[in-house]
Amino acid sequence: MLDLTARELSAKILHGEITSVEATEGVFERIERIEPTVGAYISTFKDYALSRAADVDRRVAAGEQVGALAGVPVAVKDNMCMSTGATTCASKILENFRSPYDAHVVERLEAADAVIVGKTNMDEFAMGSSTENSGLKQTVNPWDATRVPGGSSGGSAAAVAARLCFGALGSDTGGSVRQPAGFCGVVGLKPTYGRVSRFGLVAYGSSLDQIGPLTFDVADAALMLNVIAGHDERDSTSVSNEIAAPCDYLEKLDEPLSGLKIAIVPEFNAGADSEVQNAVAAALEVYKGLGAELIEIRMPHFEYAIAAYYVIATAEASSNLARYDGVHYGHRTAAPADYVEVYSKSRAEGFGDEVKRRIMLGTYALSSGYYDAYYLRALKVRNLIRQDFTKAFEKADCIMMPVSPTTAFKVGEKTADPLQMYLADIYTIATNLSGVPGISVPCGQDSSGLPIGLQIMTPAFTEEKLLRIGRMFEKHTDHHTKKPDI
Amino acid sequence: MSELEYKIVVGLEIHVHLATRTKMFCGCELAYGEQANTRVCPVCIGMPGVLPVMNKKAFEYSVLTALALNCNISSFTKWDRKSYYYPDLPKNYQISQYDLPFSEHGHIEIPLEDGRTKRIGIIRAHLEEDAGKNIHTLGNFSAIDLNRAGTPLLEIVTEPDMNSAAEVRTLATQLQRIVRYLGVSEADMQKGHMRFEPNINLHITKDGTLYKTSISEVKNLNSFRAIERSVAYEADRQLDEFLETGATMKMGNKRTYGWDDENQCTVLQREKEEAHGYRYFPEPDLVPVEMNEKWLAEIKSRLCELPLQMQTRFAGEYKLSDYDAGVLTADRSTAEFFDRAVKAGGDAKRLCNIITQTGLKIANVKGCTVAELPITAEALAKLAQMVEAGEISPSASAAIFEDMVNTQKTPDTIVREKNLIQKNDAGEIEAMVDEVIAANPKAVADATSGGKKSKKAIGFLMGQVMQKSRGQASPKVVSAILSKKLG
């Protein structure tokens, strides 16, 4: 049963071949066995999940209308507010925080009758590329427990890869869905900025954050996107239906695109490890075999993406995280001498090193006298990067490149060197700066058996096309069916 | 002592609470005086994951006010975050507007003592959210009430164009009238709906050289009296300081003061202007607001005649005194009611007397405005016409007004039913005069004595006749007959 995709499971539940309670119990049995090794979850709620599952089963049996994810056990990254359990952002400062409300995506999942089994581990406040910055626990890569699962949605990626759920939500600010999906050999989709409401997603870099699914295959990603996409009046930056209404992403998913033009940037591919290069090259050959044409392009401002990202994201983060001050909720220092100490000590005790580093970076970038040199300049670079994408999409339907320059690295390998860690996102950050959607699709394994991801990007609000392009590959390869031996 | 002249220079920052139903960026209802922290939601208390949504009404109210202040309205405006840590600010940043406010470059006319008006420049007006309140009355700890957090707040900044404490006060009162006329704020000073922060310094000419004293900003004033007195106090204090020390303005030595109402003096809060470390940057959770022609025209159509314009028009067109015109235009509905009654054919001066002497009193008792009384402007015009035509006496008009309010009958019906038609019949009045003269020989003697007592005695006899006629005799006719009889 745990080998089924979400779509297959949902069909079986609807046809009464399997109950949601059986599926949910199956997931929890596996969690009990495997989770101590993997560490994907910060919290699970078995009773809650089973009662939800039983309710779905009752309604299915009664022939009542049920949602698109009826009875499917899924997981949610712990930076999405949920009134069940705690919402920690993997931070000590919110360790005991209970949200009074549900995030938009949580409402959507539950309205679609998904069974949320737990909240997944992550880099604290989504700041990191390995999930090692979690303030609460460690997650390892299900393919090799000595390696990281990627990040910041490492818990979600590991949970899906280790079959501890049938799909999960992550958030992607600079690659935080795609990169761990690549490291863990699952599909990870970052929709266009504005496609999915951020209401209830604890903000890191507000102009970059976007929620996306991590799934077994592209079809499951389309299924989950169907559930979470669409305008929400509570998020002013979510796109209106008049401008770009979402569609049924499953409807034409299996129709291949003919005459597909794929843009590639040769020097990017050349910058990756040779095994990654080879896997991506092989994937491009598959597309060529399907009639696609490869077009070599340049993206001259891409190389400044990381620098611009670490100014914009940290500037926004320094402001977004100002509210965690020990005054209204969250961790408060034990014996403050005055109100200033409530702030300084609560924050010093509650935040981890990487969060502090980014708050300081962002505060500096926004400080009087530095704004023009850093923030304003980063915004200019951001515009140039957007132009790079616009020009690329004038020539091609999509851009393809690796998700990451390497496969999953060793736990502890890069923690001492933040700059090395930041480079893990070199191929993913630009899409967040430009807003366009991107997907990570498994395209092979290295000699140690670690998964390699192919990244595909298409113009803003063309997720339908993006998913179809990914699906074309998936139908002619079996990389996405490979499972870790755990 | 050498020759010295000085000029007071004042600019004003004004914060106005907008009277929208809900808060600036969430759906919580605005309320004053409710139990602490009962008008809050995850958005206005800054919970993790929440996002602001702009209150369109608040934006439109702001644009309307800016239009009334002759400001340019930007076709594109954005929101910015202003960062500072304070317990009453849940997100530790305030959503405000920094470099692209929705309006700039306006002016407001204020009336001067001598009847002329003066133009005060408006630098800008922008919209932001208010903070909550810290409460320090609970002994060992402080508490925070976030009911106010997120209230739409319009900030208006004037040019330093005011040159006396009286002018500052006048601007404040004019602005209060304007926002009330526009219906964008209750502008209740006691409830903190308007808060003022004057920036004050002196331009001193001594021995032909100009000296400028350093600027004082007095924070958070919420009464007109405090505004006027704090400006006057600061001007005196700065002059004394200059004479004593000769200190003048230097870069960045703006000082911040509070107003001690008990001791009627300013109190130094901050010596040097802190380098503004607000770390403004564009609010990524909100989209910029684009104002198109159609929307702007729609808002413009809601503009009304402004109080000072109306006051000037009443004084000029209706020949009312400035004082009367000021009383009538104190609130928009009364002014418009009066205007309608004049246009319905009532004499302006007569209507003014009826409204200011009787109407305001009745309205005050009923706890409403004159316009809200259950009478029409047309009925009031009719009442004025009847007085003007001599059909009823001015003294009877007050009672009729009250009856009109209580019974909703027309004045002519009331007059007919109560038989209040003024008696102009000379024969009938003469008979009453004769009776009064016969009954009061002492008063008649005093009246004809030509001495000091004469005036008083004539008044007494007049009163007696009026009483006899139950107020219905025309005082003009009575007076004529009486003076003829008394020779």
Side-chain angles (χ1 to χ4, degrees), chain B residues 85-266:
Chain B
Y85 281 83
Y86 208 59
D88 65 8
L89 190 68
K91 303 185 295 292
N92 288 320
Y93 61 80
Q94 177 193 31
I95 303 177
S96 181
Q97 298 196 281
Y98 181 50
D99 53 344
L100 294 173
F102 77 90
S103 74
E104 286 180 289
H105 309 309
H107 62 260
I108 176 174
E109 299 283 345
I110 59 165
L112 300 178
E113 293 276 319
D114 62 7
R116 289 178 307 141
T117 61
K118 178 173 176 178
R119 176 169 290 196
I120 307 296
I122 304 286
I123 297 173
R124 60 183 272 164
H126 73 252
L127 188 52
E128 59 191 25
E129 56 176 343
D130 205 353
K133 270 183 196 163
N134 293 334
I135 297 163
H136 305 294
T137 52
L138 300 171
N140 268 343
F141 57 92
S142 290
I144 302 162
D145 177 8
L146 295 177
N147 282 354
R148 196 180 69 181
T151 300
L153 201 57
L154 176 64
E155 180 173 325
I156 301 164
V157 184
T158 79
E159 296 279 2
D161 288 347
M162 285 157 281
N163 301 112
S164 71
E167 283 180 18
V168 180
R169 182 190 179 125
T170 305
L171 183 128
T173 53
Q174 283 301 312
L175 198 65
Q176 184 193 43
R177 273 210 301 183
I178 289 173
V179 295
R180 284 181 170 171
Y181 262 55
L182 297 172
V184 300
S185 175
E186 288 173 41
D188 187 331
M189 307 287 280
Q190 254 135 39
K191 293 182 180 173
H193 291 160
M194 286 184 99
R195 306 198 292 268
F196 298 87
E197 293 174 354
N199 278 251
I200 307 146
N201 79 335
L202 302 181
H203 290 189
I204 300 169
T205 312
K206 190 181 164 194
D207 303 329
T209 309
L210 178 70
Y211 301 92
K212 297 178 179 180
T213 56
S214 66
I215 296 172
S216 304
E217 175 168 330
V218 187
K219 303 295 280 183
N220 263 326
L221 299 169
N222 59 2
S223 86
F224 295 128
R225 215 176 61 150
I227 296 164
E228 189 170 12
R229 293 201 176 170
S230 64
V231 171
Y233 182 90
E234 260 310 300
D236 288 350
R237 194 198 58 72
Q238 288 186 13
L239 185 63
D240 288 349
E241 188 178 68
F242 175 77
L243 293 175
E244 227 168 84
T245 67
T248 57
M249 176 158 64
K250 289 179 206 75
M251 275 303 286
N253 68 346
K254 175 169 157 178
R255 284 177 287 196
T256 305
Y257 289 83
W259 176 246
D260 179 344
D261 207 44
E262 202 171 311
N263 297 306
Q264 295 285 303
C265 64
T266 57

Side-chain angles (χ1 to χ4, degrees), chain B residues 16-20 57-58 60-66 152 154 175-176 178-187 302 332:
Chain B
V16 183
H17 268 183
L18 298 177
T20 48
K57 194 95 190 171
E60 290 178 346
Y61 277 2
S62 303
V63 170
L64 186 64
T65 310
L154 176 64
L175 198 65
Q176 184 193 43
I178 289 173
V179 295
R180 284 181 170 171
Y181 262 55
L182 297 172
V184 300
S185 175
E186 288 173 41
R302 291 183 234 164
R332 179 180 168 183

Side-chain angles (χ1 to χ4, degrees), chain A residues 135-447:
Chain A
L136 302 182
K137 72 187 296 180
Q138 187 179 44
T139 304
V140 298
N141 194 311
W143 294 81
D144 177 348
T146 67
R147 292 178 185 270
V148 300
S152 66
S153 308
S156 287
V160 175
R163 308 267 150 173
L164 301 173
C165 61
F166 286 82
L169 292 184
S171 65
D172 190 316
T173 307
S176 282
V177 163
R178 291 159 289 157
Q179 186 257 20
F183 277 13
C184 292
V186 299
V187 169
L189 170 68
K190 182 201 92 74
T192 312
Y193 183 79
R195 175 53 84 210
V196 179
S197 168
R198 294 182 293 119
F199 187 80
L201 169 69
V202 179
Y204 157 31
S206 309
S207 73
L208 304 155
D209 296 340
Q210 186 62 198
I211 295 168
L214 294 104
T215 54
F216 299 138
D217 65 7
V218 174
D220 278 1
L223 172 66
M224 286 190 82
L225 185 62
N226 272 351
V227 170
I228 61 172
H231 179 67
D232 172 18
E233 61 180 20
R234 296 169 299 184
D235 176 0
S236 306
T237 65
S238 87
V239 71
S240 71
N241 286 334
E242 293 82 63
I243 292 172
C247 63
D248 179 352
Y249 297 103
L250 282 167
E251 195 185 338
K252 293 181 182 165
L253 185 68
D254 289 318
E255 294 176 25
L257 288 157
S258 60
L260 184 67
K261 289 182 179 164
I262 301 169
I264 54 166
V265 191
E267 69 257 40
F268 292 175
N269 297 1
D273 282 1
S274 60
E275 287 189 296
V276 173
Q277 279 186 48
N278 293 341
V280 169
L284 293 171
E285 284 305 313
V286 172
Y287 278 105
K288 269 165 85 177
L290 293 168
E293 180 192 347
L294 299 192
I295 297 163
E296 293 190 1
I297 60 159
R298 287 196 63 237
M299 297 189 83
H301 303 99
F302 214 92
E303 62 178 299
Y304 305 108
I306 287 188
Y309 171 86
Y310 277 98
V311 172
I312 294 170
T314 60
E316 291 177 0
S318 71
S319 165
N320 285 330
L321 272 62
R323 70 190 64 193
Y324 310 113
D325 59 5
V327 174
H328 302 274
Y329 52 78
H331 173 73
R332 179 186 295 175
T333 191
D338 54 26
Y339 88 87
V340 174
E341 267 196 19
V342 175
Y343 294 129
S344 57
K345 287 198 165 172
S346 300
R347 288 166 69 79
E349 293 160 7
F351 288 139
D353 287 348
E354 183 61 25
V355 171
K356 286 176 187 164
R357 185 177 294 123
R358 295 194 192 191
I359 289 173
M360 286 190 280
L361 266 173
T363 303
Y364 182 81
L366 289 177
S367 293
S368 167
Y370 298 98
Y371 182 89
D372 289 3
Y374 293 102
Y375 192 75
L376 207 59
R377 185 163 295 183
L379 290 185
K380 285 177 184 165
V381 169
R382 186 174 192 171
N383 273 329
L384 293 170
I385 288 169
R386 283 197 182 111
Q387 284 173 27
D388 279 1
F389 276 97
T390 307
K391 283 181 188 156
F393 292 133
E394 282 166 7
K395 297 187 186 124
D397 297 290
C398 65
I399 307 167
M400 290 191 191
M401 64 181 71
V403 175
S404 313
T406 65
T407 52
F409 45 86
K410 292 266 186 193
V411 171
E413 188 182 327
K414 297 189 177 181
T415 43
D417 188 348
L419 284 179
Q420 272 304 308
M421 188 74 93
Y422 294 172
L423 289 172
D425 295 330
I426 193 160
Y427 298 129
T428 49
I429 273 176
T431 59
N432 298 81
L433 289 170
S434 74
V436 303
I439 194 168
S440 169
V441 180
C443 73
Q445 286 165 275
D446 69 7
S447 48

Side-chain angles (χ1 to χ4, degrees), chain B residues 15-51:
Chain B
H15 286 95
V16 183
H17 268 183
L18 298 177
T20 48
R21 192 178 61 79
T22 56
K23 291 186 178 181
M24 189 63 233
F25 297 113
C26 67
C28 289
E29 281 190 26
L30 293 180
Y32 175 84
E34 293 290 324
Q35 197 190 334
N37 299 311
T38 56
R39 300 300 174 112
V40 295
C41 72
V43 176
C44 58
I45 63 177
M47 283 284 179
V50 297
L51 297 169

